[in-house]
Amino acid sequence: SWTTRTFARDSLAAIFPEKADEIKEKADPGEYGLENYWVRPVCVFIFMMSVMSDLRSTIDLVYILWYIPTKAGMWLEYRVPKWVDKAKVKEIAEKSELDFVKFMMAGMPLPWKLWNYFVIIIPKLLIWRSTATNGVTFLMETAGIEDC
């Protein structure tokens, strides 16, 4: 910390008084820092804003797994227009075969839902909690700068 670096510089100057000017010139303790009550809460707020998006995406995944049916289902559908020939639609609308493939939400068997909960969601929540807790602890418990 700044206090430790300042102490080391001043100690060297006390041990070698004949080189005190050179020590003070070359042993720079760095910036003093900012002593303001509001800096740490603002830093914690900014940090938590950055990690909340990951928590929100995990909660969205829980909602998806909860609300989709617990049965096997098709996730892809090939939709060819019935009102005209497919080749004509491809020619007029400049579409390819992949443009007729549509993705949709379908069911998921229970074993796959459980696998997603235990292998993806729970570890992701534990990692998020650890990151948030350790980040806030790091930001709040950084030693204060004291001028002794």
Side-chain angles (χ1 to χ4, degrees):
S1 73
W2 183 84
T3 306
T4 306
R5 294 188 304 258
T6 304
F7 174 76
R9 181 197 64 193
D10 293 345
S11 297
L12 284 172
I15 293 171
F16 304 108
E18 67 280 357
K19 296 187 176 194
D21 292 335
E22 184 180 353
I23 290 170
K24 292 206 184 246
E25 177 187 330
K26 294 189 177 178
D28 182 17
E31 290 186 24
Y32 183 76
L34 184 62
E35 282 281 331
N36 187 329
Y37 173 79
W38 292 104
V39 171
R40 288 183 186 189
V42 168
C43 288
V44 169
F45 178 74
I46 292 169
F47 171 73
M48 288 306 295
M49 281 181 51
S50 70
V51 296
M52 286 306 289
S53 65
D54 186 58
L55 178 63
R56 183 67 201 165
S57 68
T58 306
I59 291 170
D60 289 343
L61 182 58
V62 170
Y63 283 141
I64 288 172
L65 289 174
W66 182 262
Y67 286 109
I68 61 173
T70 307
K71 62 180 171 99
M74 297 297 294
W75 287 69
L76 294 173
E77 185 177 58
Y78 187 69
R79 294 184 188 164
V80 181
K82 294 183 173 54
W83 51 274
V84 71
D85 185 40
K86 178 175 73 169
K88 187 115 175 144
V89 172
K90 286 170 67 174
E91 180 184 327
I92 294 171
E94 297 180 2
K95 293 191 175 211
S96 68
E97 286 291 325
L98 286 178
D99 292 323
F100 298 117
V101 176
K102 302 298 177 199
F103 294 95
M104 59 186 167
M105 293 294 290
M108 182 183 287
L110 184 61
W112 279 109
K113 282 187 173 186
L114 294 174
W115 186 86
N116 276 286
Y117 278 116
F118 290 113
V119 176
I120 295 175
I121 293 173
I122 291 175
K124 195 173 176 185
L125 287 172
L126 292 173
I127 291 169
W128 181 88
R129 182 177 178 266
S130 175
T131 302
T133 303
N134 291 329
V136 170
T137 301
F138 175 76
L139 289 170
M140 293 305 287
E141 290 187 359
T142 304
I145 298 172
E146 298 171 6
D147 210 2
C148 298

